Amino acid sequence: MPKKYDDIVKKLGFEPADYKPDMTKDEQDNPFMVLTGEEIMWLWKQGYLKNKPTK
């Protein structure tokens, strides 16, 4: 993994692709708020935040 990705994982405390929001709650904190806009865009452009089809 790229160093930038490792730094982001350390900052978040979890793998971005593994994040599953708790849909039973009406409101919840967004854990991605600790990231900068640049970090979020980097994750998106690298494909780490794209939706995966569910089976």
Side-chain angles (χ1 to χ4, degrees):
M1 290 288 157
K3 180 178 178 348
K4 186 167 191 149
Y5 181 80
D6 292 337
D7 293 343
I8 291 171
V9 168
K10 183 183 278 188
K11 198 172 185 181
L12 285 172
F14 60 88
E15 297 272 340
D18 294 340
Y19 176 69
K20 303 282 186 265
D22 183 353
M23 301 305 284
T24 62
K25 294 181 180 179
D26 288 335
E27 293 183 25
Q28 59 184 327
D29 292 332
N30 181 348
F32 293 93
M33 294 298 290
V34 300
L35 301 178
T36 65
E38 180 184 326
E39 290 168 328
I40 292 170
M41 289 305 299
W42 185 87
L43 287 171
W44 181 260
K45 288 178 180 177
Q46 299 303 311
Y48 294 113
L49 296 180
K50 298 204 171 139
N51 292 333
K52 296 177 185 172
T54 57
K55 293 183 179 184

